[in-house]
């Protein structure tokens, strides 16, 4: 093999002597590279200074400026007389910077000593996740002026600590005046934030949790301000660069009359106290527990709510500055948070007879002149099994009654008969004629009152049972869907599985009182801008339905309801004895059974003055006993107050008619309060007789029945 020849570099590259020198080419190449690098540098500088200059300038400024939200004072809530029910009280609040507490942990102890807390309490405030980590955190509210002054004089010793003025809710008429209507505030929840992402709320916001505070949150909250603060490298505030003042929320004017509201609340609490001390002689001398109750006063002509009270109650001042978990739990356990006026569900008893009477008259099942002979016991026609008889309440009068007198004395058998006849005449009068009439009056439906958390009652029917049965969550409440004649009889006088809220029943009677127009109850009257005194929104009467009833039928029912109060055999006669004859009232008692071993619910509702009633008063006391003994005297006392202190028109706050923290003076009602302490029922035991013919209604076959008769009245 031949050896490989090595490569000679010298043979490939010429010697300097042999090659031509080209310095200009090298210089050009180097120059191009230098120019290219310089161009890139210039382009980069131009980008930084021109294109991205504003962005970087803002970033630098952001390191020197902190923009914080300034909470707006909430709007006031006033009554129809411009009496302030809810206002604002300015307070000083001390805040501590998150950043400073991390960089300088010793500041925590100094702040704790300044505000009278432990370091652990200050740390707990800093860890509260409702506050942004980029904004100062409140560690003390309602700080004494001496503490604020001390901080201002020694500001250099407290880096990262600031003071701001905030407002807390104040109740000039007392925190126990209309708390369920007014509602209270609470810390914003993550769900509320998620549901209102563009409304300007922050994690530190407070919002209305109940009542008017929640219902009209969008008007009351106002518009938050903004403050741009200059800070140094340590994060300490060294000055204010700009300030946009917050805007006060709108004023909400209510239809509530403060004097009436306070009288109603006092009367309700007093009557329940007396009721608990009065033995029920009809039930082995048991004292009614009367755990709760409600009163509603409204104008039946337009739905305005003049007063609304629920018992038990609470003090709104508990929420000022934040309520402790223990206090909140105690109020919740007592049932005081429940607004029984709009969310309490009660068996209505004989107050439901208005509905049954309307259905029977309008359907032509009976006429105003149809009489029924009440012997005290009703036997279901052609009954072959089950419970075949229903009894009147012990002591109720007997005799021949038409619809008017049956309402006056609250004859149960008269309405048993109507329920029985309707049950066996569905082909002629429809499948659910009484339930249809109830729906026209708004019973078993949401009324649309402008308050949150209204409950929906129910009028018992086969359709309602089927609905419950088909829902896996409620199937246990309706294991059987069969509708018996006995069920129809019980439903006809407000028993069985019918449960209504007081506001539903108040709306039903208000609908009858005004001649048949159903209005949504309205607590608020108008929204007013406090700066311009201009009305932002006015709430006109809202008609939600009609009840069609002929003049003759209407007159027959009205005569019966007036007899409740003015006829000596009327169930409300004793409570209203001596009431001024020139202020004509109509009303109805209700004594509605509950579960076995429980006292009945006590109802009374009245409206007047006839013929153009402007007041309707409804009272219910859960497990309070007879309607004539507990609820009726309560309603009488409220009408006594209204006689002495008539409700005037709504006053719009203006510069010449400013709001006031002092309520107008009220006049004491004339006469002695009629709250009864008697140990015997006020039902008459007299037998009512007439010369009218005996009942001419016919009977129909029955398949079976359920349940014996509860009390009526």
């Amino acid at each position: 093999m031949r050896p490989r020849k090595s490569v000679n570099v010298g043979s490939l590259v010429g010697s300097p002597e042999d090659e031509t020198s080209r310095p200009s080419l090298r210089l050009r190449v180097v120059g191009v590279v230098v120019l290219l690098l310089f161009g890139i540098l210039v382009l980069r500088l131009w980008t930084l200074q021109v294109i991205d200059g504003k962005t970087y300038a803002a970033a630098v400024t952001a390191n020197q400026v902190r923009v914080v939200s300034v909470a707006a004072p909430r709007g006031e809530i006033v009554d129809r007389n411009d009496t302030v029910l809810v206002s604002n009280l300015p307070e000083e609040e001390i805040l501590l910077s998150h950043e400073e507490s991390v960089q300088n942990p010793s500041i925590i102890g100094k702040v704790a000593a300044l505000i009278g807390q432990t370091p652990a309490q200050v740390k707990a405030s800093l860890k509260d996740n409702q506050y942004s980590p980029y904004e100062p955190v409140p560690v003390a509210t309602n700080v004494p002026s001496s503490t604020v002054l001390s901080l201002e004089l020694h500001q250099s010793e407290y880096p990262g600590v600031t003071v701001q003025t905030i407002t807390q809710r104040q109740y000039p008429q007392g925190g126990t005046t209309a708390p369920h209507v007014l509602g209270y505030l609470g810390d914003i929840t993550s769900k509320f934030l998620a549901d209102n992402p563009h409304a300007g709320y922050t994690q530190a916001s407070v919002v209305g949790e109940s009542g008017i505070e929640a219902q009209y949150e969008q008007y009351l909250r106002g518009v938050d301000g903004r403050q741009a603060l200059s800070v140094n490298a340590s994060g300490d505030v060294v000055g204010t660069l700009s300030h946009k003042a917050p805007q006060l929320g709108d004023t909400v004017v209510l239809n509530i009359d403060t004097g009436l509201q306070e009288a109603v609340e006092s009367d309700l609490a007093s009557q329940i106290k007396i009721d608990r001390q009065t033995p029920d002689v009809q039930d082995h001398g048991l004292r009614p527990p009367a755990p709760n109750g409600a009163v509603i006063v409204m104008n039946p002509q337009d739905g305005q709510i003049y007063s609304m009270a629920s018992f038990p109650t609470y003090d709104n001042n508990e929420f000022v500055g934040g309520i402790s978990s223990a206090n909140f739990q105690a109020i919740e356990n007592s049932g005081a948070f429940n607004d029984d006026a709009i969310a309490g569900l009660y068996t209505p008893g004989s107050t439901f007879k208005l509905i049954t009477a309307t259905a029977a008259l309008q359907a032509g099942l009976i006429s105003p002149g149809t009489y029924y002979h009440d012997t005290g016991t009703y036997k279901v026609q052609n009954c072959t099994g089950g419970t075949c008889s229903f009894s009147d309440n012990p002591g109720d009068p007997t005799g021949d009654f038409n619809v008017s007198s049956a309402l006056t004395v609250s004859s149960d058998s008269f309405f048993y008969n109507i329920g029985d006849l309707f049950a066996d005449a569905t082909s002629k009068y429809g499948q659910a004629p009484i339930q249809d009439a109830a729906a026209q009056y708004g019973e078993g439906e949401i009324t649309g009152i402008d308050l949150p958390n209204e409950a929906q009652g129910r009028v018992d029917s086969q359709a309602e049972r089927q609905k419950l049965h088909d829902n896996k969550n409620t199937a246990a409440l309706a294991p059987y869907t069969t509708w018996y004649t006995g069920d129809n009889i019980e439903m006809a006088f407000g028993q069985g599985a019918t449960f209504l809220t007081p506001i539903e029943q108040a709306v039903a009677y208000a609908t009858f009182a005004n001649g048949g127009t159903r209005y949504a109850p309205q607590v608020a009257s108008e929204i007013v801008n406090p700066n311009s005194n201009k009305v932002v929104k006015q709430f006109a009467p809202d008609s939600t339905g009609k009840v069609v009833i002929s003049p003759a039928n209407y007159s027959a029912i009205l005569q019966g309801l007036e007899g409740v109060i003015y006829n000596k055999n009327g169930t409300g006669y004793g409570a209203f004895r001596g009431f001024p004859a020139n202020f004509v009232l109509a009303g109805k008692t209700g004594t509605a059974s509950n579960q076995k071993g429980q006292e009945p619910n006590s109802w009374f509702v009245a409206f007047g003055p006839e013929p153009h009633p402007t007041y309707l008063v409804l009272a219910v006391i859960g497990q309070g006993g007879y309607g004539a003994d507990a609820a009726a005297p309560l309603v009488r006392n409220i009408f006594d107050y209204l006689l002495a202190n008539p409700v005037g028109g709504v006053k719009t706050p203006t510069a010449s008619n400013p709001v006031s923290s002092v309520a107008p003076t009220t006049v004491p009602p004339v006469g002695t309060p009629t709250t009864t302490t008697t140990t015997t029922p006020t039902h008459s035991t007299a037998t009512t007789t007439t010369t009218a013919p005996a009942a001419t209604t016919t009977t129909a076959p029955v398949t079976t029945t359920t349940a014996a008769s509860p009390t009526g009245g």
Side-chain angles (χ1 to χ4, degrees):
M1 297 179 64
R2 288 182 297 179
R4 177 179 294 177
K5 293 182 180 181
S6 61
V7 178
N8 188 348
V9 177
S11 64
L12 297 176
V13 181
S15 65
E17 292 81 3
D18 298 331
E19 296 294 330
T20 304
S21 176
R22 295 181 293 177
S24 59
L25 178 60
R26 294 189 181 98
L27 289 174
R28 283 197 293 270
V29 171
V30 172
V32 169
V33 172
V34 171
L35 288 174
L36 182 61
L37 293 174
F38 185 75
I40 293 173
L41 179 61
V42 170
L43 179 63
R44 180 58 178 163
L45 289 173
W46 182 78
T47 301
L48 291 173
Q49 295 183 359
V50 179
I51 296 179
D52 296 333
K54 293 182 179 180
T55 301
Y56 287 108
V60 172
T61 302
N63 290 329
Q64 302 172 358
V65 177
R66 293 287 185 271
V67 178
V68 297
S69 175
V70 181
R74 289 178 72 84
E76 294 183 322
I77 303 175
V78 304
D79 80 344
R80 66 189 301 113
N81 299 309
D82 289 343
T83 301
V84 179
L85 297 171
V86 187
S87 61
N88 299 303
L89 180 66
E91 292 182 354
E92 299 297 334
E93 182 177 65
I94 290 182
L95 305 95
L96 176 59
S97 165
H98 263 293
E99 185 178 358
E100 183 65 29
S101 67
V102 173
Q103 296 179 356
N104 180 19
S106 63
I107 192 63
I108 294 177
K110 296 180 68 175
V111 170
L114 176 70
I115 62 178
Q117 295 183 10
T118 64
Q121 289 175 306
V122 175
K123 289 179 181 179
S125 297
L126 290 170
K127 292 178 181 178
D128 193 333
N129 58 14
Q130 72 169 304
Y131 300 109
S132 168
Y134 306 107
E135 294 186 1
V137 175
V139 293
T141 57
N142 196 19
V143 179
S145 57
S146 58
T147 302
V148 174
L149 179 61
S150 175
L151 180 61
E152 291 175 345
L153 293 175
H154 304 90
Q155 183 66 62
S156 61
E157 300 177 16
Y158 296 93
V161 180
T162 53
V163 178
Q164 72 175 11
T165 301
I166 61 170
T167 58
Q168 296 280 9
R169 281 316 222 182
Q170 184 182 35
Y171 303 93
Q173 312 312 315
T176 58
T177 298
H180 296 95
V181 173
L182 300 176
Y184 56 85
L185 304 179
D187 295 331
I188 197 169
T189 63
S190 56
K191 183 180 185 306
F192 194 101
L193 271 174
D195 292 342
N196 301 273
H198 307 299
Y201 289 104
T202 69
Q203 289 178 315
S205 297
V206 293
V207 295
E209 293 282 350
S210 66
I212 292 295
E213 293 276 24
Q215 184 73 23
Y216 294 106
E217 166 72 18
Q218 67 181 100
Y219 297 102
L220 289 166
R221 63 172 297 220
V223 180
D224 289 347
R226 293 286 176 181
Q227 197 171 31
L229 304 176
S230 177
V231 297
N232 59 23
S234 300
D236 298 332
V237 176
V238 295
T240 300
L241 300 177
S242 65
H243 177 77
K244 181 181 178 182
Q247 298 178 28
L248 175 66
D250 292 328
T251 299
V252 177
V253 182
L254 306 184
N255 288 315
I256 297 293
D257 181 287
T258 298
L260 174 63
Q261 178 71 26
E262 292 176 343
V264 165
E265 290 170 346
S266 176
D267 287 342
L268 174 60
S270 297
Q271 181 60 54
I272 286 180
K273 182 178 179 181
I274 291 173
D275 197 29
R276 290 172 175 175
Q277 300 170 351
T278 305
D280 181 358
V281 296
Q282 293 292 329
D283 195 5
H284 309 292
L286 293 178
R287 298 178 188 272
N292 51 57
V295 173
I296 297 167
V297 184
M298 65 185 296
N299 186 340
Q301 302 299 331
D302 55 17
Q304 288 188 25
I305 297 294
Y306 293 154
S307 173
M308 183 178 290
S310 179
F311 182 92
T313 188
Y314 63 93
D315 190 337
N316 261 332
N317 285 308
E318 291 276 357
F319 293 88
V320 177
I323 186 172
S324 68
S325 298
N327 286 354
F328 186 91
Q329 193 64 51
I331 296 174
E332 189 171 48
N333 292 342
S334 72
F337 281 141
N338 300 333
D339 187 352
D340 288 314
I342 66 171
L345 292 169
Y346 302 88
T347 46
S350 293
T351 59
F352 192 80
K353 290 173 180 176
L354 166 67
I355 311 303
T356 304
T358 301
L361 289 167
Q362 285 300 109
L365 180 70
I366 64 171
S367 72
T370 300
Y371 280 81
Y372 174 81
H373 184 67
D374 182 357
T375 64
T377 301
Y378 180 79
K379 296 186 181 299
V380 181
Q381 305 303 311
N382 301 323
C383 179
T384 58
T387 302
C388 295
S389 65
F390 290 78
S391 299
D392 288 353
N393 188 59
D396 280 358
T398 57
D400 295 324
F401 302 115
N402 62 7
V403 68
S404 300
S405 55
L407 287 168
T408 292
V409 302
S410 202
S411 166
D412 287 339
S413 288
F414 184 94
F415 289 92
Y416 296 155
N417 186 50
I418 290 177
D420 191 355
L421 295 176
F422 266 138
D424 293 319
T426 53
S427 60
K428 181 177 180 180
Y429 301 108
Q431 292 297 316
I434 300 176
Q435 291 90 337
D436 292 343
Q440 290 182 26
Y441 278 107
E443 299 205 321
E445 300 180 5
I446 294 293
T447 67
I449 188 172
D450 54 335
L451 288 174
N453 305 317
E454 179 188 2
Q456 183 174 1
R458 69 184 299 269
V459 177
D460 199 15
S461 68
Q462 187 169 20
E464 280 292 316
R465 292 185 180 184
Q466 190 69 51
K467 189 186 302 181
L468 292 174
H469 184 77
D470 293 342
N471 187 327
K472 64 179 182 180
N473 296 322
T474 58
L477 300 176
Y480 307 103
T481 60
T482 307
W483 184 257
Y484 297 108
T485 298
D487 298 319
N488 212 63
I489 291 173
E490 285 199 317
M491 182 273 303
F493 75 113
Q495 291 291 169
T498 294
F499 300 94
L500 301 176
T501 63
I503 192 62
E504 285 175 354
Q505 198 69 317
V507 168
Y509 272 83
T511 301
F512 178 83
N514 69 40
T517 301
R518 190 169 86 241
Y519 290 104
Q522 193 69 43
V523 179
S525 173
E526 56 191 13
I527 311 293
V528 178
N529 183 297
N531 299 313
S532 64
N533 290 319
K534 291 184 178 179
V535 176
V536 176
K537 185 177 182 63
Q538 194 158 35
F539 301 99
D542 181 14
S543 175
T544 58
K546 287 279 188 181
V547 174
V548 178
I549 184 168
S550 71
N553 292 339
Y554 184 89
S555 178
I557 295 175
L558 180 61
Q559 180 183 345
L561 298 179
E562 290 178 347
V564 167
I565 292 175
Y566 297 104
N567 187 303
K568 290 184 178 181
N569 292 315
T571 53
Y573 178 78
F576 282 84
R577 185 184 290 112
F579 191 80
N582 61 346
F583 196 99
V584 180
L585 297 176
K588 187 70 191 77
T589 50
T591 305
S593 288
N594 290 296
Q595 297 178 7
K596 186 176 181 180
Q598 293 183 345
E599 283 289 288
N601 298 326
S602 177
W603 290 81
F604 195 83
V605 55
F607 53 85
E610 289 294 336
H612 189 74
T614 53
Y615 301 116
L616 180 137
V617 182
L618 178 143
V620 59
I621 299 177
Q623 299 185 56
Y626 280 87
D629 295 337
L634 173 57
V635 173
R636 164 65 188 272
N637 285 341
I638 294 170
F639 268 108
D640 284 342
Y641 177 90
L642 288 168
L643 278 174
N645 302 275
V647 176
V650 176
K651 299 177 181 177
T652 300
T654 63
S656 59
N657 183 43
V659 298
S660 173
S661 296
V662 180
T665 303
T666 59
V667 179
V670 177
T672 305
T674 60
T675 303
T676 179
T677 57
T678 179
T679 58
T680 58
T682 57
H683 295 72
S684 170
T685 57
T687 298
T688 301
T689 59
T690 72
T691 57
T696 57
T697 53
T698 60
T699 58
V702 179
T703 54
T704 184
T705 62
T706 62
S709 166
T711 56

